[in-house]
Amino acid sequence: MTLLEVRDIRTRYGAIEALKGISLTVDEGEVVTLIGSNGAGKSTTLRSISGLTPASQGTITFAGEEITRVPAHEIVSRGIALAPEGRHCFTRMTVRPEIAEEFNQVYELFPLLKERDRQKAGTMSGGEQQMLAIGRALMARPKLLMLDEPSLGIAPNLVQRIYQTIGEINSSGVAILLVEQNANYALDAASRGYVLETGRVALANDSASLRNDPEVQRAYLGT
């Protein structure tokens, strides 16, 4: 059953049109990835869905209700959470939340955070901050978790742990929309994917077909 439907959205930054008619779907409990080069529109797509950079045209429907013009804070309460590119942790705050109904679940997924729950976020490594950013998003109890570049700038051993946890989150029933420049990680994690180029969907298919596509291999898989 379709959880998220994005239909022909266009999003602008001033005079620049960043998204030029993006359409995609995410089903309940599914992992879908967006891959593409820098400037392709991947992060803007997530920002438009989350209400941070609203679309100027098109429609976004979530759980059967249109949310195209819904404010960002209300979109979170409806069940969409974003762990943004660059993590954006509050560097002077500690890991441990003050409102903590869900933090035990987060600690089960990321035991390292429990060990560091009195540590200021700004003193943590990039991988630890990424765990924290994902944990923060999970505190909203999302039906759809959007992850923007979770492997960016992180040591390979921690990337593997983060992707293992992404699989565990999905196994709990949370759908995931994943933006990732590392197409190998993305296609391993997702069942389907969309290739974005200059604000448009250039290709859409299941992950196995995308991995075997010669153009995808050449442009994104380094083969």
Side-chain angles (χ1 to χ4, degrees):
M1 186 173 178
T2 301
L3 179 64
L4 174 74
E5 181 178 12
V6 175
R7 182 176 296 175
D8 197 30
I9 63 167
R10 294 174 177 267
T11 301
R12 309 183 72 89
Y13 293 106
I16 299 172
E17 188 173 53
L19 301 185
K20 305 169 184 177
I22 295 287
S23 296
L24 61 88
T25 61
V26 180
D27 291 343
E28 292 182 355
E30 188 178 29
V31 181
V32 175
T33 187
L34 307 180
I35 60 176
S37 58
N38 284 334
K42 307 183 302 296
S43 294
T44 301
T45 299
L46 298 193
R47 290 181 63 85
S48 295
I49 294 167
S50 65
L52 295 171
T53 307
S56 56
Q57 295 181 41
T59 59
I60 302 169
T61 304
F62 180 71
E65 297 183 352
E66 186 177 340
I67 61 168
T68 316
R69 302 287 179 265
V70 172
H73 68 275
E74 187 175 332
I75 288 175
V76 173
S77 68
R78 293 192 185 199
I80 298 178
L82 170 65
E85 180 181 2
R87 299 174 284 276
H88 296 283
C89 297
F90 298 101
T91 58
R92 296 186 179 182
M93 293 180 68
T94 60
V95 168
R96 186 179 180 88
E98 294 302 319
I99 47 174
E101 185 176 348
E102 296 300 310
F103 75 84
N104 282 333
Q105 177 191 359
V106 173
Y107 285 164
E108 287 176 6
L109 289 167
F110 295 114
L112 183 62
L113 294 183
K114 185 173 178 61
E115 297 173 16
R116 308 290 179 85
D117 70 350
R118 298 295 178 183
Q119 183 173 341
K120 287 184 169 59
T123 66
M124 301 172 77
S125 72
E128 292 163 351
Q129 287 187 15
Q130 185 63 66
M131 294 177 188
L132 180 57
I134 295 172
R136 177 181 59 191
L138 289 173
M139 295 295 290
R141 300 183 185 178
K143 299 173 186 174
L144 173 65
L145 175 62
M146 300 194 300
L147 301 173
D148 196 352
E149 302 284 7
S151 73
L152 186 65
I154 295 174
N157 62 321
L158 284 181
V159 171
Q160 292 176 4
R161 174 58 187 142
I162 286 168
Y163 267 89
Q164 178 184 338
T165 305
I166 289 171
E168 294 170 5
I169 293 166
N170 178 242
S171 296
S172 74
V174 178
I176 294 173
L177 182 56
L178 170 67
V179 160
E180 179 61 85
Q181 273 196 300
N182 189 318
N184 282 301
Y185 283 129
L187 294 174
D188 281 346
S191 58
R192 292 190 299 115
Y194 296 84
V195 179
L196 271 56
E197 294 180 359
T198 60
R200 295 183 173 90
V201 174
L203 189 62
N205 215 325
D206 64 84
S207 292
S209 297
L210 289 176
R211 186 179 288 280
N212 291 325
D213 185 282
E215 288 299 311
V216 174
Q217 291 177 348
R218 179 187 59 80
Y220 305 111
L221 298 176
T223 58

